[in-house]
Amino acid sequence: MSNLNILIYGSGIAGSVFAYCLLRAYRHADITIVERDPSLRLTGASVDVRSSAVAIAESIDHFQQRDDGVLVTFATSKAVEKYDLLIAADGVRSMISAAMLNTSAEEHILSKGVHVAYFTIKRDLPARRELETRQKLDEAIRNGNECYMTLTEERFEDAGWLAPELLQGTRQREDFYCSLFGRVSAPKLQDGRVVLLGDAGYATPGIGTSLTIFGGYVLAGELLNHGDDIKMAARGYEHVRLPHINKLANSEDPMQYLNPQTWWGIRIRNAILGTVTGLKLDKMG
């Protein structure tokens, strides 16, 4: 295999694990990781990626496939570069996936009606509180952390108990992260020299990280096995991963039961959980 020139869009778990696996299998690979956020996130799983370049606060304007590679135009620098392979590791609302599938970024997101935010605090969370409408939360996530924190402050300002401390914590911590809790089910994971990896192609709440790590391992292995035939390697990756992804997409989702969307559903859930904890059934086993 000649020196492989790969562009990974997204420096999260998907992109980092794939880069790590490929460099272990093929140490001469030339890997560039592009991250649109202004800084690398310090929390979460750290992966040591050697022999790679990481461009921070850069994004892809558009890309065009050719027989001998992918031409990528960057939004900030306006530079145009050619790569052997473009990896979409840019998460649930992947712009690469949308362009590859010729759809909107939300087309293949199966929302569970649940939104989550992560950050560290020193004490426990406040009691349950009714959330804002799904549409406003979706919009807040699209507009970034600041918009989401503002909406949360408006919604929980009179919640009492530890709510003031919790809301203050969102402003004081640099590790705040918010996301839609939903499944992504892309109809295909590759198109020639463009490949969807991790949440960009198959976000799956609860086991998404495991699927992402396995996906990066499989893709690196297919590239190693197929030598210079990039397109065959991409098809091999899809052949291995897609049947498993589709099987998971058709399975029961406990999130619908744990996070009901109606008041009577919430009361039934709380009654069941209250009975379980009251009888100490959760302590058995």
Side-chain angles (χ1 to χ4, degrees):
M1 178 188 288
S2 58
N3 283 356
L4 197 61
N5 187 17
I6 294 180
L7 174 63
I8 301 174
Y9 188 42
S11 65
I13 292 176
S16 300
V17 168
F18 167 64
Y20 174 77
C21 291
L22 185 61
L23 286 173
R24 291 197 64 182
Y26 186 70
R27 61 190 181 89
H28 296 297
D30 186 5
I31 301 173
T32 300
I33 302 176
V34 171
E35 174 56 53
R36 63 192 174 198
D37 286 339
S39 62
L40 293 175
R41 189 175 300 278
L42 300 179
T43 55
S46 298
V47 181
D48 178 23
V49 181
R50 297 163 295 171
S51 303
S52 302
V54 181
I56 305 299
E58 179 62 277
S59 60
I60 294 177
D61 189 9
H62 65 270
F63 64 89
Q64 179 183 8
Q65 290 204 62
R66 295 186 174 182
D67 291 338
D68 61 343
V70 184
L71 280 182
V72 177
T73 302
F74 294 101
T76 303
S77 65
K78 306 302 180 183
V80 179
E81 304 287 348
K82 187 177 76 171
Y83 298 90
D84 296 316
L85 183 65
L86 171 60
I87 305 296
D90 50 338
V92 172
R93 288 189 172 86
S94 168
M95 59 83 62
I96 303 296
S97 173
M100 188 189 91
L101 299 173
N102 194 27
T103 63
S104 68
E106 286 80 18
E107 178 72 21
H108 300 291
I109 299 177
L110 308 177
S111 176
K112 304 302 178 184
V114 179
H115 299 77
V116 293
Y118 306 93
F119 60 99
T120 56
I121 57 173
K122 297 181 180 180
R123 301 182 65 183
D124 200 359
L125 296 172
R128 176 188 59 80
R129 176 78 169 177
E130 179 188 2
L131 288 177
E132 185 57 89
T133 62
R134 182 185 305 178
Q135 291 79 11
K136 287 188 176 181
L137 285 167
D138 287 343
E139 182 180 359
I141 287 179
R142 285 194 294 269
N143 292 333
N145 286 351
E146 177 64 31
C147 185
Y148 193 90
M149 286 188 285
T150 299
L151 178 59
T152 304
E153 289 169 343
E154 293 173 355
R155 200 65 192 135
F156 287 87
E157 61 181 354
D158 60 344
W161 195 30
L162 298 179
E165 181 180 346
L166 178 63
L167 295 174
Q168 185 180 18
T170 65
R171 299 288 184 179
Q172 295 176 339
R173 307 301 300 185
E174 296 181 355
D175 57 358
F176 183 88
Y177 170 76
C178 60
S179 175
L180 173 71
F181 199 85
R183 187 193 301 273
V184 172
S185 183
K188 62 179 182 178
L189 301 180
Q190 58 82 32
D191 181 23
R193 294 177 178 271
V194 180
V195 173
L196 308 184
L197 183 63
D199 286 355
Y202 41 88
T204 307
I207 58 173
T209 300
S210 297
L211 293 178
T212 294
I213 292 173
F214 184 55
Y217 176 81
V218 170
L219 180 55
E222 291 296 321
L223 287 167
L224 184 64
N225 291 337
H226 291 284
D228 290 327
D229 196 337
I230 303 296
K231 295 182 179 180
M232 182 62 72
R235 288 194 293 269
Y237 159 75
E238 182 180 64
H239 177 74
V240 173
R241 300 302 296 127
L242 198 55
H244 184 213
I245 302 302
N246 290 337
K247 182 178 180 180
L248 290 173
N250 296 324
S251 61
E252 287 291 328
D253 184 8
M255 188 55 64
Q256 293 292 338
Y257 303 104
L258 294 175
N259 295 272
Q261 302 300 300
T262 62
W263 274 113
W264 66 266
I266 292 175
R267 292 191 181 99
I268 292 175
R269 179 203 62 187
N270 291 349
I272 294 175
L273 295 179
T275 301
V276 169
T277 56
L279 296 176
K280 300 188 184 302
L281 298 180
D282 58 319
K283 303 296 183 181
M284 299 178 63

